[in-house]
Amino acid sequence: MPTAAAIGAVWLAPAALIDARVAQLTGGTLRLAATEGTAWQGRGALVAGGTRLPVAWRVDAWPLLRGDLGVHLLSDGGTPGQPRANIALAGERVVLRDVEATLPASLVAAATGPAAGWSVAGNVGITTAELEWAPTAIRGDARLHWRGARLLLADGVAPLDLGDVRAALTADGGRLA
Protein backbone atom coordinates (compact mmCIF):
# COMPACT_ATOMS: atom_id res chain seq x y z
CA MET A 1 0.00 0.00 0.00
CA PRO A 2 2.89 2.50 0.49
CA THR A 3 3.44 2.34 -3.29
CA ALA A 4 -0.13 3.46 -3.99
CA ALA A 5 0.27 6.29 -1.47
CA ALA A 6 3.52 7.40 -3.13
CA ILE A 7 1.94 7.35 -6.59
CA GLY A 8 -1.06 9.29 -5.26
CA ALA A 9 1.19 11.90 -3.64
CA VAL A 10 3.15 12.39 -6.87
CA TRP A 11 -0.04 12.44 -8.96
CA LEU A 12 -1.44 15.24 -6.82
CA ALA A 13 1.83 17.20 -6.53
CA PRO A 14 1.24 20.92 -7.07
CA ALA A 15 2.45 22.49 -10.31
CA ALA A 16 4.61 24.90 -8.27
CA LEU A 17 7.08 22.06 -7.62
CA ILE A 18 8.11 22.14 -11.30
CA ASP A 19 9.71 25.57 -10.86
CA ALA A 20 12.67 24.17 -8.90
CA ARG A 21 13.41 21.63 -11.66
CA VAL A 22 13.12 24.25 -14.43
CA ALA A 23 15.48 26.56 -12.52
CA GLN A 24 17.96 23.71 -11.97
CA LEU A 25 17.92 22.64 -15.65
CA THR A 26 18.43 26.21 -16.89
CA GLY A 27 20.90 27.44 -14.29
CA GLY A 28 18.25 29.78 -12.91
CA THR A 29 17.71 31.68 -16.18
CA LEU A 30 14.14 30.36 -16.57
CA ARG A 31 11.53 30.07 -13.84
CA LEU A 32 7.93 28.89 -13.75
CA ALA A 33 5.64 31.35 -11.94
CA ALA A 34 1.92 31.81 -11.24
CA THR A 35 1.29 28.07 -11.45
CA GLU A 36 -2.10 26.40 -11.20
CA GLY A 37 -3.07 22.74 -11.20
CA THR A 38 -0.79 19.78 -10.65
CA ALA A 39 2.56 18.61 -11.96
CA TRP A 40 0.57 16.29 -14.26
CA GLN A 41 -1.71 18.93 -15.72
CA GLY A 42 -1.30 22.59 -15.06
CA ARG A 43 -0.48 26.04 -16.27
CA GLY A 44 1.77 28.93 -15.39
CA ALA A 45 4.11 31.51 -16.86
CA LEU A 46 7.65 30.80 -18.01
CA VAL A 47 9.71 33.77 -16.82
CA ALA A 48 13.15 35.02 -17.89
CA GLY A 49 14.19 38.50 -16.82
CA GLY A 50 11.10 40.65 -17.29
CA THR A 51 9.56 38.43 -19.98
CA ARG A 52 6.61 36.12 -19.21
CA LEU A 53 5.24 33.43 -21.52
CA PRO A 54 1.98 31.64 -20.65
CA VAL A 55 2.28 27.83 -20.75
CA ALA A 56 -0.09 24.94 -20.10
CA TRP A 57 0.92 21.27 -20.01
CA ARG A 58 -0.19 17.71 -19.60
CA VAL A 59 2.17 14.82 -18.76
CA ASP A 60 1.60 11.35 -20.23
CA ALA A 61 1.58 8.68 -17.54
CA TRP A 62 2.39 5.64 -19.71
CA PRO A 63 5.93 6.69 -20.80
CA LEU A 64 6.81 7.12 -17.11
CA LEU A 65 6.47 3.34 -16.68
CA ARG A 66 9.46 2.98 -19.07
CA GLY A 67 11.41 5.75 -17.34
CA ASP A 68 10.63 8.24 -20.13
CA LEU A 69 8.81 11.56 -20.05
CA GLY A 70 6.13 12.74 -22.47
CA VAL A 71 4.84 16.30 -22.12
CA HIS A 72 2.25 18.10 -24.20
CA LEU A 73 2.38 21.89 -24.22
CA LEU A 74 -1.20 22.91 -24.79
CA SER A 75 -2.68 26.00 -26.36
CA ASP A 76 -6.16 26.94 -25.26
CA GLY A 77 -6.55 29.23 -28.27
CA GLY A 78 -7.54 32.14 -26.04
CA THR A 79 -4.14 33.04 -24.63
CA PRO A 80 -1.93 34.95 -27.08
CA GLY A 81 1.57 33.53 -27.50
CA GLN A 82 0.85 30.21 -25.82
CA PRO A 83 3.13 27.53 -27.35
CA ARG A 84 1.96 24.13 -28.60
CA ALA A 85 4.28 21.10 -28.74
CA ASN A 86 4.74 17.44 -27.92
CA ILE A 87 8.02 16.72 -26.14
CA ALA A 88 9.42 13.25 -25.47
CA LEU A 89 12.49 12.64 -23.29
CA ALA A 90 13.84 9.09 -23.41
CA GLY A 91 17.30 8.53 -21.96
CA GLU A 92 19.58 11.00 -23.73
CA ARG A 93 17.16 11.46 -26.64
CA VAL A 94 14.85 14.47 -26.99
CA VAL A 95 12.10 14.54 -29.61
CA LEU A 96 10.02 17.62 -30.43
CA ARG A 97 6.84 17.05 -32.47
CA ASP A 98 4.16 19.37 -33.82
CA VAL A 99 5.85 22.48 -32.43
CA GLU A 100 4.24 25.84 -33.05
CA ALA A 101 5.43 28.63 -30.80
CA THR A 102 6.16 32.32 -30.88
CA LEU A 103 8.55 33.35 -28.16
CA PRO A 104 9.90 36.76 -27.21
CA ALA A 105 13.50 36.94 -28.49
CA SER A 106 14.56 38.09 -25.03
CA LEU A 107 13.20 34.84 -23.55
CA VAL A 108 15.13 32.75 -26.10
CA ALA A 109 18.30 34.75 -25.40
CA ALA A 110 17.87 34.41 -21.63
CA ALA A 111 17.41 30.65 -21.96
CA THR A 112 20.63 30.30 -23.96
CA GLY A 113 22.72 32.36 -21.55
CA PRO A 114 23.70 35.99 -21.07
CA ALA A 115 25.43 37.90 -23.85
CA ALA A 116 28.01 40.49 -22.85
CA GLY A 117 27.11 44.05 -23.84
CA TRP A 118 24.03 43.44 -25.97
CA SER A 119 20.46 42.18 -25.89
CA VAL A 120 17.77 41.30 -28.41
CA ALA A 121 14.19 42.28 -29.18
CA GLY A 122 11.40 40.96 -31.39
CA ASN A 123 9.58 37.63 -31.49
CA VAL A 124 10.91 34.27 -32.67
CA GLY A 125 8.45 31.88 -34.31
CA ILE A 126 9.45 28.21 -34.22
CA THR A 127 7.71 25.41 -36.13
CA THR A 128 8.66 21.80 -36.70
CA ALA A 129 6.82 18.60 -37.54
CA GLU A 130 9.58 16.61 -35.84
CA LEU A 131 13.09 17.27 -34.59
CA GLU A 132 15.08 14.65 -32.70
CA TRP A 133 18.32 15.12 -30.77
CA ALA A 134 20.28 12.02 -29.79
CA PRO A 135 23.91 11.72 -28.68
CA THR A 136 24.93 10.31 -32.06
CA ALA A 137 22.75 12.25 -34.49
CA ILE A 138 20.10 14.86 -35.10
CA ARG A 139 17.24 14.30 -37.53
CA GLY A 140 14.32 16.38 -38.70
CA ASP A 141 13.93 20.03 -39.54
CA ALA A 142 12.70 23.31 -38.10
CA ARG A 143 11.77 26.75 -39.33
CA LEU A 144 12.57 29.93 -37.43
CA HIS A 145 11.14 33.38 -38.12
CA TRP A 146 12.50 36.27 -36.04
CA ARG A 147 10.01 39.11 -36.55
CA GLY A 148 11.10 42.63 -35.70
CA ALA A 149 14.64 41.39 -35.16
CA ARG A 150 16.65 43.96 -33.26
CA LEU A 151 20.05 43.93 -31.56
CA LEU A 152 20.40 46.39 -28.72
CA LEU A 153 24.07 47.14 -28.19
CA ALA A 154 25.91 48.86 -25.35
CA ASP A 155 24.67 52.19 -24.00
CA GLY A 156 24.88 55.06 -26.44
CA VAL A 157 25.04 52.85 -29.55
CA ALA A 158 22.06 52.96 -31.90
CA PRO A 159 20.12 49.67 -32.06
CA LEU A 160 20.63 47.48 -35.12
CA ASP A 161 17.27 46.76 -36.78
CA LEU A 162 17.41 43.57 -38.85
CA GLY A 163 13.75 43.43 -39.87
CA ASP A 164 12.54 39.85 -40.34
CA VAL A 165 15.09 37.04 -40.25
CA ARG A 166 14.16 33.54 -41.45
CA ALA A 167 16.03 30.28 -41.22
CA ALA A 168 15.11 26.80 -42.42
CA LEU A 169 17.15 24.28 -40.44
CA THR A 170 17.66 20.70 -41.58
CA ALA A 171 19.40 17.96 -39.64
CA ASP A 172 22.63 16.76 -41.15
CA GLY A 173 23.76 13.87 -38.96
CA GLY A 174 25.47 15.55 -36.02
CA ARG A 175 24.31 19.14 -36.58
CA LEU A 176 21.57 21.42 -37.86
CA ALA A 177 22.44 23.27 -41.08
Side-chain angles (χ1 to χ4, degrees):
M1 197 66 170
T3 304
I7 290 171
V10 171
W11 189 263
L12 298 173
L17 293 178
I18 297 173
D19 175 50
R21 185 69 175 141
V22 169
Q24 179 187 23
L25 289 171
T26 64
T29 58
L30 291 177
R31 301 300 304 253
L32 186 61
T35 56
E36 298 175 9
T38 67
W40 296 102
Q41 184 164 344
R43 65 179 59 249
L46 203 55
V47 179
T51 304
R52 298 173 67 86
L53 178 71
V55 293
W57 66 87
R58 185 183 73 240
V59 175
D60 285 336
W62 290 113
L64 292 172
L65 296 174
R66 296 186 307 268
D68 300 338
L69 178 63
V71 178
H72 303 280
L73 294 181
L74 310 167
S75 175
D76 60 16
T79 307
Q82 199 168 24
R84 178 180 57 84
N86 295 312
I87 304 165
L89 305 169
E92 295 180 339
R93 194 176 116 226
V94 177
V95 180
L96 303 175
R97 287 188 182 96
D98 301 323
V99 175
E100 189 172 313
T102 299
L103 310 172
S106 58
L107 183 72
V108 175
T112 58
W118 59 279
S119 60
V120 295
N123 291 306
V124 179
I126 303 166
T127 58
T128 184
E130 182 169 288
L131 187 61
E132 177 181 346
W133 281 277
T136 56
I138 301 171
R139 71 176 182 81
D141 58 50
R143 285 164 193 58
L144 304 176
H145 184 184
W146 184 8
R147 293 172 187 85
R150 180 177 242 204
L151 295 176
L152 306 162
L153 306 171
D155 291 339
V157 177
L160 180 59
D161 288 314
L162 303 173
D164 284 0
V165 177
R166 295 177 186 261
L169 305 173
T170 302
D172 184 17
R175 62 187 179 96
L176 284 174

